[in-house]
Amino acid sequence: MAPHRNVELKARDDDPEATLAAALAHGAADQGVLTQVDTYFVAREGRLKLREQDGAGTLIAYARADEAVARTSAYHLVPAPDPAALKAALGDALGTVVVVEKFRRLLLWENVRIHLDAVEGLGTWLELEAVALADSDLTDEHRKVAELRAVLEIADEDVVATGYAAMLLEAGAATPRLVDLARRAMGRAYAPYSHFQVGVALRDEAGGLHAGANVENSSYPQGTCAEAAAISALITAGGHAIREVVVMADTELIVPCGGCRQRLSELAAPETPVHLAGPEGIRRTVTLGELLPLAFDLEEAKR
Ligand code: THU
């Protein structure tokens, strides 16, 4: 089956009442308010989420955003007749990354869906989704989105490229899950020589969560730090960048070793948060830039 195609626009909307009135005046048909809860699970490959809409469940598995373009076949929609049980099972077995809860007022105007969304923790948003007709070259869909954009007075500065899940993650929604992952990794560390167990958890740019533990060796220099293991897990799973770090050990205040600060800086930014944690949770949060000022960067060095 050919994949569905949309022309989409998402923007902040501080006045949903005015937007609703303008959309109705332009001839949009009000389809009422939907309750949607999207639960994202930790998945080794791609993304996995359960959508609950007014009690009905659908399990949605899809490729990472950067691969989805080329691999549209890697998209599965599975009806979930018992969403509550499925959510509990997947949450226990895989872990939950983030939950996006929203009320969505759906309006239809020609083949454009207008979403007036009130998202838990994020406020009110407007989405336009022109569903492409088969064989369309998308000109008409772009024209309709542009027309509605003008009618609904959507300003350039209100338009965003990020999804709700990513916004919640940037605001720290996955931090407790990262702490859990670091704790589990720490418990599995192989440290028979130092007896010092370290667990590290990382969040990548697409909301993927990855963990690693230190693995020692009787030939001491062959041992590896937990950061290195977590970074390998992130790269192996298809991640590209580090957006958040938890480092955990049962000591007063664990800090990554110098070499691992350099390792992290390869994929993270100076402003990336690094949570320094003990078994009970975060004790202090610093940025990578604070841990490694004047980091070595080959491109910079060659200038
Ligand atoms: N260790 C880490 O895993 N990460 C760090 O940043 C500091 C040190 C590990 C390496 C070794 O297995 C043990 O802690 C003692 O140095």
Side-chain angles (χ1 to χ4, degrees), residues 163-211:
Y164 300 134
M167 291 181 209
L168 286 169
L169 290 173
E170 286 306 313
T175 311
R177 173 55 56 184
L178 283 173
V179 170
D180 282 352
L181 287 173
R183 189 183 297 111
R184 276 184 228 190
M186 179 180 73
R188 294 171 188 158
Y190 179 74
Y193 306 104
S194 73
H195 303 289
F196 189 70
Q197 298 185 292
V198 185
V200 167
L202 306 173
R203 174 168 61 82
D204 71 28
E205 77 290 351
L209 309 185
H210 315 276

Side-chain angles (χ1 to χ4, degrees), residues 190-191 194 196-200 213-216 223-227 247 254-258 260:
Y190 179 74
S194 73
F196 189 70
Q197 298 185 292
V198 185
V200 167
N214 52 329
V215 182
E216 298 184 345
T224 47
C225 284
E227 289 84 346
V247 184
I254 179 70
V255 288
C257 75
C260 285

